[in-house]
Amino acid sequence: MKSLLLSVSITASLLLSPLVSAKDITPIQKKQLTEISGLLRDNPELINPLHSNLKQYLDGQKSLETILKTNHDYLYNNPQQPYFGAENPKLTIINFTDYNCPYCKRLESGLVGVIKKYPEIRVVNVLLPFQQRMIPGLKTNTAWYALNVWENDHSKFAEVHRLMMAKPSRHDSSSIMKIAELTKTQKDLTPNQKKMALVEKNEQIFSQLGLRGTPSLIIGNEIIPGFIPQEDLEKMIAKQL
């Protein structure tokens, strides 16, 4: 009975989410709603706990909407956050990412691919140093360094970003120093309070959204935790556009 309740609760929650309007309900979903109604009529003991679960779920959705609304400009219109793609985008993707996260590196190629296919979109990289708080032997981390480059050596950022994402394993002082030397951004290895505060704010929003790991994306009104293949990414982008 517990598994039945969980299945009904999840299905109904997804279908009745405030992010899903009546016009979005497909014929398959209409059939599922009819089946749910029948299950509840045949098992009335499920009604009270299902109602409680639905209310809790919808309250959580409202909370997420509030967090996103409060932090909208910080995420979408903040010149301090690195981005690539369109200057006047029709769609902006928020990408919570970490230069030491292997799945973030896998996602990177997909994001580059969709930008080529959909030049009207923008990807904002919200940088997080979860995998490595401090680079051994240096007084910085990858997020602080990249944010310094974005602000101080903007024309060099794309190459620094590419090189940091290209390394399959975790960065160390040797790899970061080599990237800095190749791009002549050694001065950006010195951290500052402004970048530290920016990364701290990034982490706070990430936590408030209930996210647990990188990569995590926000596409339109959908939050997608974890890696997503380029094919699925393109489908979601096409739907939003």
mmCIF file of all heavy atoms in Angstrom, residues 162-185:
data_model
loop_
_atom_site.group_PDB
_atom_site.id
_atom_site.type_symbol
_atom_site.label_atom_id
_atom_site.label_comp_id
_atom_site.label_asym_id
_atom_site.label_seq_id
_atom_site.Cartn_x
_atom_site.Cartn_y
_atom_site.Cartn_z
ATOM 1 N N ARG A 162 37.957 27.137 -21.338
ATOM 2 C CA ARG A 162 38.111 25.932 -22.155
ATOM 3 C C ARG A 162 39.210 25.031 -21.601
ATOM 4 O O ARG A 162 39.022 23.807 -21.487
ATOM 5 C CB ARG A 162 38.445 26.324 -23.592
ATOM 6 C CG ARG A 162 38.503 25.136 -24.565
ATOM 7 C CD ARG A 162 39.029 25.538 -25.919
ATOM 8 N NE ARG A 162 40.452 25.886 -25.871
ATOM 9 C CZ ARG A 162 41.425 24.970 -25.864
ATOM 10 N NH1 ARG A 162 41.147 23.676 -25.894
ATOM 11 N NH2 ARG A 162 42.683 25.366 -25.833
ATOM 12 N N LEU A 163 40.329 25.611 -21.242
ATOM 13 C CA LEU A 163 41.450 24.824 -20.736
ATOM 14 C C LEU A 163 41.117 24.178 -19.387
ATOM 15 O O LEU A 163 41.491 23.022 -19.136
ATOM 16 C CB LEU A 163 42.690 25.714 -20.597
ATOM 17 C CG LEU A 163 43.332 26.179 -21.918
ATOM 18 C CD1 LEU A 163 44.392 27.237 -21.650
ATOM 19 C CD2 LEU A 163 43.929 24.984 -22.663
ATOM 20 N N MET A 164 40.410 24.891 -18.546
ATOM 21 C CA MET A 164 40.060 24.320 -17.239
ATOM 22 C C MET A 164 39.037 23.197 -17.374
ATOM 23 O O MET A 164 39.072 22.221 -16.643
ATOM 24 C CB MET A 164 39.553 25.410 -16.296
ATOM 25 C CG MET A 164 40.663 26.331 -15.802
ATOM 26 S SD MET A 164 40.374 27.007 -14.147
ATOM 27 C CE MET A 164 39.078 28.171 -14.504
ATOM 28 N N MET A 165 38.117 23.335 -18.335
ATOM 29 C CA MET A 165 37.134 22.281 -18.561
ATOM 30 C C MET A 165 37.750 21.086 -19.295
ATOM 31 O O MET A 165 37.257 19.960 -19.186
ATOM 32 C CB MET A 165 35.951 22.824 -19.368
ATOM 33 C CG MET A 165 34.944 23.588 -18.539
ATOM 34 S SD MET A 165 34.133 22.512 -17.336
ATOM 35 C CE MET A 165 32.994 23.663 -16.552
ATOM 36 N N ALA A 166 38.840 21.326 -20.027
ATOM 37 C CA ALA A 166 39.431 20.257 -20.848
ATOM 38 C C ALA A 166 40.186 19.229 -20.018
ATOM 39 O O ALA A 166 40.322 18.072 -20.444
ATOM 40 C CB ALA A 166 40.375 20.868 -21.883
ATOM 41 N N LYS A 167 40.671 19.594 -18.851
ATOM 42 C CA LYS A 167 41.432 18.647 -18.027
ATOM 43 C C LYS A 167 40.469 17.618 -17.431
ATOM 44 O O LYS A 167 39.566 17.971 -16.669
ATOM 45 C CB LYS A 167 42.166 19.374 -16.900
ATOM 46 C CG LYS A 167 43.157 18.487 -16.144
ATOM 47 C CD LYS A 167 43.915 19.318 -15.107
ATOM 48 C CE LYS A 167 45.045 18.511 -14.475
ATOM 49 N NZ LYS A 167 44.573 17.354 -13.705
ATOM 50 N N PRO A 168 40.637 16.331 -17.745
ATOM 51 C CA PRO A 168 39.667 15.327 -17.301
ATOM 52 C C PRO A 168 39.672 15.080 -15.798
ATOM 53 O O PRO A 168 38.657 14.698 -15.230
ATOM 54 C CB PRO A 168 40.095 14.064 -18.068
ATOM 55 C CG PRO A 168 41.533 14.287 -18.404
ATOM 56 C CD PRO A 168 41.680 15.758 -18.609
ATOM 57 N N SER A 169 40.817 15.293 -15.163
ATOM 58 C CA SER A 169 40.916 15.037 -13.727
ATOM 59 C C SER A 169 40.923 16.353 -12.950
ATOM 60 O O SER A 169 40.883 17.440 -13.531
ATOM 61 C CB SER A 169 42.180 14.237 -13.419
ATOM 62 O OG SER A 169 43.329 14.913 -13.905
ATOM 63 N N ARG A 170 41.023 16.232 -11.638
ATOM 64 C CA ARG A 170 41.002 17.414 -10.779
ATOM 65 C C ARG A 170 42.235 18.288 -11.019
ATOM 66 O O ARG A 170 43.326 17.792 -11.268
ATOM 67 C CB ARG A 170 40.937 16.978 -9.318
ATOM 68 C CG ARG A 170 40.894 18.120 -8.330
ATOM 69 C CD ARG A 170 40.653 17.644 -6.914
ATOM 70 N NE ARG A 170 39.314 17.058 -6.772
ATOM 71 C CZ ARG A 170 38.748 16.785 -5.604
ATOM 72 N NH1 ARG A 170 39.397 17.043 -4.489
ATOM 73 N NH2 ARG A 170 37.543 16.254 -5.571
ATOM 74 N N HIS A 171 42.043 19.587 -10.906
ATOM 75 C CA HIS A 171 43.156 20.517 -11.082
ATOM 76 C C HIS A 171 44.070 20.511 -9.856
ATOM 77 O O HIS A 171 43.642 20.222 -8.736
ATOM 78 C CB HIS A 171 42.635 21.937 -11.325
ATOM 79 C CG HIS A 171 42.131 22.143 -12.708
ATOM 80 N ND1 HIS A 171 42.966 22.314 -13.792
ATOM 81 C CD2 HIS A 171 40.864 22.192 -13.207
ATOM 82 C CE1 HIS A 171 42.241 22.463 -14.886
ATOM 83 N NE2 HIS A 171 40.961 22.395 -14.563
ATOM 84 N N ASP A 172 45.322 20.853 -10.092
ATOM 85 C CA ASP A 172 46.282 21.065 -9.020
ATOM 86 C C ASP A 172 47.044 22.353 -9.333
ATOM 87 O O ASP A 172 46.761 23.025 -10.327
ATOM 88 C CB ASP A 172 47.222 19.865 -8.869
ATOM 89 C CG ASP A 172 47.924 19.491 -10.168
ATOM 90 O OD1 ASP A 172 48.073 20.378 -11.047
ATOM 91 O OD2 ASP A 172 48.322 18.322 -10.315
ATOM 92 N N SER A 173 47.994 22.691 -8.482
ATOM 93 C CA SER A 173 48.722 23.944 -8.685
ATOM 94 C C SER A 173 49.464 23.949 -10.016
ATOM 95 O O SER A 173 49.544 24.986 -10.688
ATOM 96 C CB SER A 173 49.709 24.178 -7.540
ATOM 97 O OG SER A 173 50.633 23.106 -7.443
ATOM 98 N N SER A 174 49.957 22.790 -10.434
ATOM 99 C CA SER A 174 50.702 22.706 -11.685
ATOM 100 C C SER A 174 49.805 23.012 -12.884
ATOM 101 O O SER A 174 50.182 23.797 -13.763
ATOM 102 C CB SER A 174 51.312 21.310 -11.838
ATOM 103 O OG SER A 174 51.969 21.185 -13.080
ATOM 104 N N SER A 175 48.618 22.408 -12.926
ATOM 105 C CA SER A 175 47.725 22.619 -14.073
ATOM 106 C C SER A 175 47.214 24.054 -14.129
ATOM 107 O O SER A 175 47.126 24.657 -15.206
ATOM 108 C CB SER A 175 46.550 21.634 -14.030
ATOM 109 O OG SER A 175 45.718 21.878 -12.910
ATOM 110 N N ILE A 176 46.884 24.622 -12.973
ATOM 111 C CA ILE A 176 46.378 25.994 -12.948
ATOM 112 C C ILE A 176 47.476 26.987 -13.305
ATOM 113 O O ILE A 176 47.249 27.946 -14.064
ATOM 114 C CB ILE A 176 45.768 26.326 -11.570
ATOM 115 C CG1 ILE A 176 44.506 25.494 -11.347
ATOM 116 C CG2 ILE A 176 45.447 27.816 -11.465
ATOM 117 C CD1 ILE A 176 43.385 25.743 -12.335
ATOM 118 N N MET A 177 48.676 26.768 -12.793
ATOM 119 C CA MET A 177 49.790 27.661 -13.120
ATOM 120 C C MET A 177 50.102 27.607 -14.612
ATOM 121 O O MET A 177 50.399 28.633 -15.234
ATOM 122 C CB MET A 177 51.025 27.285 -12.303
ATOM 123 C CG MET A 177 50.940 27.658 -10.834
ATOM 124 S SD MET A 177 50.772 29.438 -10.552
ATOM 125 C CE MET A 177 52.332 30.029 -11.213
ATOM 126 N N LYS A 178 50.001 26.420 -15.192
ATOM 127 C CA LYS A 178 50.258 26.276 -16.624
ATOM 128 C C LYS A 178 49.221 27.038 -17.439
ATOM 129 O O LYS A 178 49.557 27.727 -18.417
ATOM 130 C CB LYS A 178 50.254 24.801 -17.021
ATOM 131 C CG LYS A 178 50.619 24.560 -18.476
ATOM 132 C CD LYS A 178 50.690 23.072 -18.788
ATOM 133 C CE LYS A 178 51.072 22.841 -20.253
ATOM 134 N NZ LYS A 178 51.151 21.387 -20.566
ATOM 135 N N ILE A 179 47.949 26.934 -17.046
ATOM 136 C CA ILE A 179 46.886 27.664 -17.741
ATOM 137 C C ILE A 179 47.106 29.174 -17.609
ATOM 138 O O ILE A 179 46.972 29.925 -18.578
ATOM 139 C CB ILE A 179 45.503 27.268 -17.181
ATOM 140 C CG1 ILE A 179 45.171 25.822 -17.568
ATOM 141 C CG2 ILE A 179 44.408 28.215 -17.695
ATOM 142 C CD1 ILE A 179 43.926 25.267 -16.891
ATOM 143 N N ALA A 180 47.467 29.611 -16.417
ATOM 144 C CA ALA A 180 47.706 31.033 -16.189
ATOM 145 C C ALA A 180 48.871 31.547 -17.034
ATOM 146 O O ALA A 180 48.813 32.650 -17.585
ATOM 147 C CB ALA A 180 47.969 31.286 -14.706
ATOM 148 N N GLU A 181 49.916 30.728 -17.152
ATOM 149 C CA GLU A 181 51.074 31.125 -17.957
ATOM 150 C C GLU A 181 50.715 31.177 -19.440
ATOM 151 O O GLU A 181 51.105 32.105 -20.154
ATOM 152 C CB GLU A 181 52.226 30.148 -17.718
ATOM 153 C CG GLU A 181 52.852 30.279 -16.326
ATOM 154 C CD GLU A 181 53.837 29.155 -16.026
ATOM 155 O OE1 GLU A 181 54.099 28.342 -16.950
ATOM 156 O OE2 GLU A 181 54.328 29.085 -14.889
ATOM 157 N N LEU A 182 49.980 30.175 -19.914
ATOM 158 C CA LEU A 182 49.605 30.125 -21.327
ATOM 159 C C LEU A 182 48.730 31.315 -21.716
ATOM 160 O O LEU A 182 48.826 31.828 -22.835
ATOM 161 C CB LEU A 182 48.862 28.822 -21.635
ATOM 162 C CG LEU A 182 49.699 27.544 -21.715
ATOM 163 C CD1 LEU A 182 48.793 26.321 -21.813
ATOM 164 C CD2 LEU A 182 50.631 27.596 -22.919
ATOM 165 N N THR A 183 47.887 31.735 -20.797
ATOM 166 C CA THR A 183 46.934 32.818 -21.097
ATOM 167 C C THR A 183 47.373 34.172 -20.525
ATOM 168 O O THR A 183 46.655 35.163 -20.684
ATOM 169 C CB THR A 183 45.543 32.467 -20.538
ATOM 170 O OG1 THR A 183 45.653 32.236 -19.120
ATOM 171 C CG2 THR A 183 44.978 31.232 -21.206
ATOM 172 N N LYS A 184 48.531 34.165 -19.878
ATOM 173 C CA LYS A 184 49.074 35.393 -19.263
ATOM 174 C C LYS A 184 48.070 36.022 -18.285
ATOM 175 O O LYS A 184 47.796 37.235 -18.327
ATOM 176 C CB LYS A 184 49.482 36.394 -20.342
ATOM 177 C CG LYS A 184 50.535 35.860 -21.309
ATOM 178 C CD LYS A 184 51.031 36.928 -22.255
ATOM 179 C CE LYS A 184 51.985 36.349 -23.306
ATOM 180 N NZ LYS A 184 53.072 35.517 -22.747
ATOM 181 N N THR A 185 47.531 35.171 -17.419
ATOM 182 C CA THR A 185 46.575 35.642 -16.410
ATOM 183 C C THR A 185 47.078 35.334 -14.993
ATOM 184 O O THR A 185 46.281 35.102 -14.081
ATOM 185 C CB THR A 185 45.197 34.987 -16.625
ATOM 186 O OG1 THR A 185 45.349 33.543 -16.619
ATOM 187 C CG2 THR A 185 44.566 35.424 -17.945
#
